[in-house]
Amino acid sequence: MLGTQAAAAGPEWLQYVAAFAPLSTLAAAVIAGWIAWRTLAQRREADRRDQWWQRTQWAIDLAMERDFSRAVVGLITLRHLADSDLCTAEDYEMLDKIGGAKIDALTLSEESASRSSGAPTPTQPAPSEPGIPGKVPPGPARSVRGDLIPVDLDSRGERVFAASPEMAKALAAADRLVSFAAVRHHGPHGGGSSVRRPSGSG
């Protein structure tokens, strides 16, 4: 009698298995499809990131050019690329430093004018040559000339003077890049690595 009941239960169990088999196949297909979609999405994201980085490298090389017009194009491009969702916190820090390095290169170059904090006024004489008191070095007097263009650097809270309109544009573009990257990296109230506090502040 027990054998008869077991024999009768056997086909019923197989029926349940047979009924759920299509659902198992469907679940396996859904999981496999999700894995394939996820892999494809990750590959596309990696390709987008690679293309972004190639454009960024091109823009960095352009931004560091001595030619002001080419440098402005590179800096504006970097500012545009910084607005991408592909930009990471490390990228923002890198762009902040690149913009700061460009500002330093412009303001410390021979073509740049003295900063307002250390620049002599038009009534002050030009500095003497070291070791020869009273002798003015050859060339134009190093005073604040009327043809210098003031540029306010919001990222550093200071004003510098550009010797040409092209240089002023390059300084402004670098300042915008630094300000944007610093805000994205540290937030609106955070200080970027290129921000210089005025002397005398705590």
Side-chain angles (χ1 to χ4, degrees):
M1 183 174 178
L2 292 175
T4 305
Q5 290 177 349
E12 186 177 353
W13 177 78
L14 292 176
Q15 289 175 1
Y16 281 116
V17 172
F20 282 105
L23 294 177
S24 300
T25 303
L26 178 62
V30 169
I31 293 173
W34 181 84
I35 292 174
W37 173 84
R38 183 65 178 169
T39 301
L40 181 61
Q42 289 177 343
R43 185 174 301 171
R44 286 179 177 173
E45 189 73 7
D47 290 342
R48 288 182 63 222
R49 170 71 184 175
D50 183 61
Q51 292 173 4
W52 180 89
W53 178 242
Q54 289 179 12
R55 291 192 294 267
T56 300
Q57 286 180 309
W58 171 83
I60 291 172
D61 292 339
L62 206 59
M64 291 304 167
E65 289 273 356
R66 289 179 177 268
D67 182 84
F68 293 136
S69 298
R70 292 172 63 84
V72 168
V73 172
L75 291 164
I76 291 175
T77 303
L78 287 175
R79 166 62 181 81
H80 175 74
L81 291 168
D83 205 17
S84 170
D85 60 341
L86 297 171
C87 204
T88 65
E90 291 78 11
D91 296 328
Y92 287 128
E93 184 176 4
M94 174 193 68
L95 293 174
D96 179 16
K97 291 177 187 276
I98 288 171
K102 185 61 179 180
I103 292 174
D104 288 339
L106 290 171
T107 55
L108 297 177
S109 67
E110 293 181 359
E111 299 175 356
S112 68
S114 300
R115 299 188 182 193
S116 58
S117 61
T121 63
T123 58
Q124 290 177 327
S128 303
E129 283 187 1
I132 309 179
K135 183 176 181 182
V136 178
R142 298 186 179 277
S143 60
V144 178
R145 306 188 311 268
D147 59 344
L148 295 182
I149 302 170
V151 181
D152 292 322
L153 300 179
D154 294 333
S155 63
R156 298 187 175 187
E158 62 184 5
R159 171 175 289 184
V160 297
F161 291 91
S164 67
E166 292 77 15
M167 181 180 174
K169 289 178 182 178
L171 281 167
D175 181 57
R176 284 192 293 269
L177 174 63
V178 171
S179 297
F180 182 83
V183 168
R184 285 297 183 96
H185 186 220
H186 300 284
H189 303 294
S193 59
S194 297
V195 175
R196 294 182 178 176
R197 300 289 190 272
S199 59
S201 60

